[in-house]
Amino acid sequence: MPADPAPVPSAPQRILIAGVTGSGKTTLARRLSAIRGLPHIELDALFHGPGWTPRPAFLDDVRAFAATERWVTEWQYTSKGTDPILAPRADLAIWLDYPYRVVRTRLLRRTISRSVLRRELWNGNREKPLWAMLRHGPEENILRWQTTTLHKWRERMPEIAAEHPHLPILRFGHPHETERWLRALPRTS
């Protein structure tokens, strides 16, 4: 990361939240949406069509909301083409760089809850039963996906900072740091 990062805007209007699966990107996006009055666009809902199939309109939908003036979203689907759309428009990136034990515990709790409760996630999809998930590779097993991509953001952030010098990146190493930052944010009325 550069020695002289971009200044953090006092009232960011377009926020990307990066982090490994299970770090809490969507939860933080929802909280920021409520605190700052920003529309939250959940990328998983835009990406997953019925039967877990990718929606053909995904990137068009990402372009449409990215062109608006205010939003908060998870920084994911980078291999599907979201980086050149979202990063140039964002005015703040938040990187949840939490310890493995934190993200693994969060992901286990979330996955087990979704699987047992059979809660609908996006477009009629539900988490697979745990026994079915454990038989598959990273593309279908969220726990293996997390392990495979655990260090992705640490590897990518220096390049992202160099490519997008306008984009301030706040890196939080523990949920306590994120909570302190959230408490200090001005609320919208």
Side-chain angles (χ1 to χ4, degrees), residues 17-44:
I17 303 172
V20 69
T21 300
S23 59
K25 296 181 299 292
T26 301
T27 299
L28 180 57
R30 286 183 186 133
R31 292 181 69 194
L32 282 169
S33 175
I35 292 168
R36 299 291 308 144
L38 298 169
H40 171 222
I41 292 82
E42 189 173 359
L43 287 189
D44 281 327

